[in-house]
């Protein structure tokens, strides 16, 4: 039974010359799978030297982050395909403009909210375009922690803070005294 699916494996002309195999050390003879690691073989990396734990010098492809596909169809214009990233960048830009215009608390608060919006988009949407940088878990933790820290610091900004945390005041006076 044969299928007409094209084979994506490199041909002999495309594959770089493999180095001459080195003799195996006495203790490691007969190891199964010593030539190619199964996990990296799926990513398209070429062969590595037998007995070596280093990744090969030439890579064929790199795995995209989970959710790193386009947020809209491929025939849509570029801004429509990357709308989650453009939304977050627009909010950050507006926050920076407000900060430059001396409305620092609201501007900084808007930057933190933009990161929290990015975390929410990363959580709820299957494809977020360029907003997907790493795995979904790592992006969520990074965006959420940075967003919460920036929002809390914006709320504590002096003078007349909107949020007061008494334990921080005692900690500051303890370290200064």
């Amino acid at each position: 039974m044969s299928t007409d699916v094209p084979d994506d494996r490199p041909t002999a002309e495309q594959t770089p010359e493999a180095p001459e195999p080195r003799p195996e050390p006495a203790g490691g003879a007969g190891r199964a799978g010593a030539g190619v690691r199964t996990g990296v073989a799926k990513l398209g990396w070429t062969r590595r030297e037998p007995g070596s734990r280093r990744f090969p010098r030439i890579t064929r492809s790199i795995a995209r982050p989970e959710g790193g596909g386009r947020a809209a169809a491929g025939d849509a214009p570029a801004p429509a395909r990357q709308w989650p990233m453009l939304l977050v960048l627009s909010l950050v830009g507006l926050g920076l403009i407000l900060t430059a215009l001396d409305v620092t608390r609201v501007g900084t608060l808007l930057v933190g909210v933009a990161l929290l919006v990015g975390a929410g988009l990363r959580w709820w949407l299957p494809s977020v375009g360029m907003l997907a940088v790493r795995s979904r878990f790592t992006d969520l933790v990074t965006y959420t922690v940075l967003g919460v820290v920036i929002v809390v610091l914006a709320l504590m900004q002096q003078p007349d803070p909107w949020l007061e945390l008494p334990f921080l005041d005692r900690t500051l006076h303890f370290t200064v005294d």
Side-chain angles (χ1 to χ4, degrees), residues 128-146:
V128 290
M130 289 174 32
L131 195 60
V133 179
R134 297 162 203 91
S135 70
R136 186 179 304 263
F137 175 77
T138 305
D139 285 343
L140 279 174
V141 169
T142 304
Y143 294 152
T144 304
V145 168
L146 289 176

Side-chain angles (χ1 to χ4, degrees), residues 6-52:
D7 190 16
D8 289 339
R9 288 182 285 181
T11 62
E13 295 85 29
Q14 296 171 339
T15 307
E17 291 286 327
E20 290 294 323
R22 286 192 238 156
E24 290 253 350
R31 243 184 353 174
V36 177
R37 293 174 66 170
T38 56
V40 295
K42 292 178 184 177
L43 295 176
W45 278 313
T46 58
R47 301 168 73 202
R48 63 183 173 97
E49 296 179 24
S52 172

Side-chain angles (χ1 to χ4, degrees), residues 67-153:
R70 294 177 174 160
D75 57 347
R81 289 192 312 253
Q82 298 297 333
W83 71 267
M85 183 68 158
L86 290 175
L87 175 66
V88 171
L89 286 178
S90 298
L91 289 173
V92 169
L94 181 62
L96 292 176
I97 289 171
L98 288 174
T99 303
L101 295 175
D102 208 25
V103 189
T104 55
R105 180 172 292 147
V106 175
T108 309
L109 192 61
L110 193 57
V111 170
V113 167
L115 285 169
L116 293 175
V117 166
L121 290 173
R122 188 71 172 101
W123 175 265
W124 283 300
L125 296 178
S127 291
V128 290
M130 289 174 32
L131 195 60
V133 179
R134 297 162 203 91
S135 70
R136 186 179 304 263
F137 175 77
T138 305
D139 285 343
L140 279 174
V141 169
T142 304
Y143 294 152
T144 304
V145 168
L146 289 176
V148 166
V149 166
I150 291 174
V151 165
V152 168
L153 289 176

